[in-house]
Amino acid sequence: MLSNLQRASGYSLRFLSKRTSLSPSFLSRAMNGERFPSWEATASLARACGADPEVLRKVWEDAEVRRRRKATKPEGLASALRHLHLRAGSPTPWSVHVNSGYALSQELVTALLEGTTAGSWEDVQILVQTLDGEYTYFEPLWHQALKVSPETGSETAPAAPPPVSGSGPAARVEDLIAAFGKVLSTAGNRAPSPGRPRPTPIRAATTWTSSW
């Protein structure tokens, strides 16, 4: 609204700064939505642009209500994850999947960001680390999300039932491998297989602003 008012007046920010005693930098941030001006500053700017301040009064009051409501509303896990995701440059689920060392599926990344699941704490840690965030901030949010989640209260999803063994030689070979996998993996003094790759943080930051 303020940026439209300034463009309609045809006045530069420097000229409006002289007429309102507001600094050009403040006016610029207010026009871009980075700062929310007081009603006094808004009215002064309206008069400087040749507009009736009372015309803007209702618009300003509605914006003030939204701003206060947003400031007092507690941040949830999904909201905090989306903010971190935005700060990291809004990478695609596939990019997060790859940079997490393939630990997080694309479907899980989407579900965590949309808030349809709280996931396990390990899932959240990996996502936050991949997005180059500080996971200690997210732990209380995750515990809170578990309380309101429609899922079970357990931290991890219940294990899937074992597959039903088939018949024939191929099935019997698979059963033997499943039963003696640990023995076979250590036979011949082989070195243990490397663990899951550590997530690669995504550090492409962006700046987001809102306007009213």
Side-chain angles (χ1 to χ4, degrees):
M1 175 64 75
L2 292 180
S3 58
N4 291 336
L5 186 64
Q6 185 249 334
R7 283 194 295 269
S9 70
Y11 297 141
S12 66
L13 292 180
R14 187 178 299 276
F15 177 81
L16 292 176
S17 174
K18 293 179 179 178
R19 298 193 66 177
T20 61
S21 299
L22 299 172
S23 69
S25 61
F26 175 84
L27 290 175
S28 177
R29 291 194 298 270
M31 303 292 181
N32 293 329
E34 298 175 13
R35 291 289 301 273
F36 187 84
S38 65
W39 168 242
E40 290 74 15
T42 302
S44 177
L45 181 59
R47 285 190 291 269
C49 291
D52 182 0
E54 291 305 314
V55 175
L56 299 179
R57 183 79 191 206
K58 184 64 168 60
V59 178
W60 181 89
E61 289 176 348
D62 290 344
E64 171 69 359
V65 169
R66 291 194 300 269
R67 186 181 71 90
R68 289 184 179 275
R69 186 179 301 159
K70 183 177 180 180
T72 57
K73 184 179 180 180
E75 186 173 33
L77 175 64
S79 176
L81 288 175
R82 285 194 297 269
H83 180 78
L84 182 63
H85 178 253
L86 183 66
R87 195 184 71 178
S90 300
T92 64
W94 169 254
S95 177
V96 177
H97 166 63
V98 172
N99 283 276
S100 70
Y102 304 98
L104 301 176
S105 68
Q106 298 182 67
E107 294 76 14
L108 180 56
V109 171
T110 300
L112 288 171
L113 293 176
E114 291 180 348
T116 56
T117 181
S120 68
W121 173 233
E122 182 184 7
D123 293 335
V124 175
Q125 280 183 301
I126 293 173
L127 178 58
V128 171
Q129 187 174 356
T130 303
L131 297 176
D132 198 26
E134 177 52 59
Y135 61 80
T136 55
Y137 169 76
F138 291 84
E139 186 170 9
L141 298 179
W142 176 77
H143 284 291
Q144 181 63 31
L146 283 187
K147 297 179 182 179
V148 298
S149 174
E151 304 171 350
T152 60
S154 58
E155 296 186 5
T156 57
V164 178
S165 299
S167 58
R172 287 196 292 273
V173 170
E174 291 180 359
D175 290 344
L176 287 174
I177 292 175
F180 299 102
K182 291 185 178 181
V183 177
L184 293 174
S185 65
T186 57
N189 295 324
R190 293 178 182 174
S193 59
R196 185 168 57 194
R198 291 178 60 84
T200 303
I202 300 173
R203 295 191 172 91
T206 60
T207 301
W208 177 84
T209 60
S210 65
S211 63
W212 64 278

